[in-house]
Amino acid sequence: MSRRELREQIFKLLFRIEFNSQEEMPEQEELFFEDFCVADEEDTAYISGKYRNIVEKLGTIDDMLNGKAENWDTARMGKVDLTILRLALYEMVFDDDIPTGVAINEAVELAKKFGQDASAGFINGILAKFS
């Protein structure tokens, strides 16, 4: 898979957090790889590893978002937008392999594909505060 395809799979898995309890997520992760994600072992390990790293830092990421997003907090954000922001902010702050510009660009592309009409601009605006 390309990096873009891997990122999209991570987004889809991370999105499940919004609809399942923390206790249900190991089963959801298993179901995701069985039913929805067509990946070889290397890609599966990458997706799963990055997903788990993001989940470990979720509290920190949400605090960062709440601190920079004026007149917004994570509880008010749309689930798609929030998931994209979490993924992008993780890449910008905690993943040294992803340049900031690439993380922002990829987040905007995910927003165009999965978000609402205003999602790309909203996400670009929030992430610009971190760059």
Side-chain angles (χ1 to χ4, degrees):
M1 282 186 186
S2 70
R3 284 267 186 162
R4 179 169 280 180
E5 291 169 324
L6 289 168
R7 186 176 286 104
E8 188 173 311
Q9 295 305 313
I10 295 164
F11 161 76
K12 289 177 181 177
L13 180 56
L14 195 58
F15 187 66
R16 290 176 177 228
I17 288 174
E18 296 301 314
F19 302 97
N20 297 282
S21 69
Q22 189 175 14
E23 295 78 27
E24 295 172 316
M25 283 312 297
E27 183 181 358
Q28 287 297 314
E29 184 178 354
E30 187 178 312
L31 289 170
F32 176 78
F33 286 111
E34 286 177 5
D35 297 337
F36 298 104
C37 183
V38 180
D40 61 26
E41 282 185 36
E42 185 178 324
D43 289 344
T44 298
Y46 179 84
I47 293 165
S48 184
K50 194 159 185 176
Y51 159 77
R52 289 178 183 166
N53 289 340
I54 294 167
V55 169
E56 285 177 14
K57 304 236 185 277
L58 214 51
T60 302
I61 292 168
D62 284 356
D63 288 345
M64 292 170 71
L65 287 169
N66 287 328
K68 292 271 189 181
E70 296 174 19
N71 301 318
W72 284 94
D73 63 41
T74 53
R76 288 187 53 222
M77 292 178 189
K79 292 176 184 351
V80 170
D81 294 351
L82 177 58
T83 302
I84 294 169
L85 286 168
R86 286 171 167 169
L87 173 57
L89 194 53
Y90 172 82
E91 289 182 338
M92 292 170 67
V93 176
F94 300 106
D95 191 337
D96 295 332
D97 294 335
I98 312 286
T100 297
V102 171
I104 293 172
N105 183 60
E106 292 296 322
V108 169
E109 292 303 316
L110 282 171
K112 288 177 183 176
K113 185 171 183 176
F114 295 103
Q116 298 178 6
D117 291 340
S119 292
F122 174 73
I123 286 173
N124 191 46
I126 298 287
L127 294 178
K129 295 178 180 189
F130 290 96
S131 63

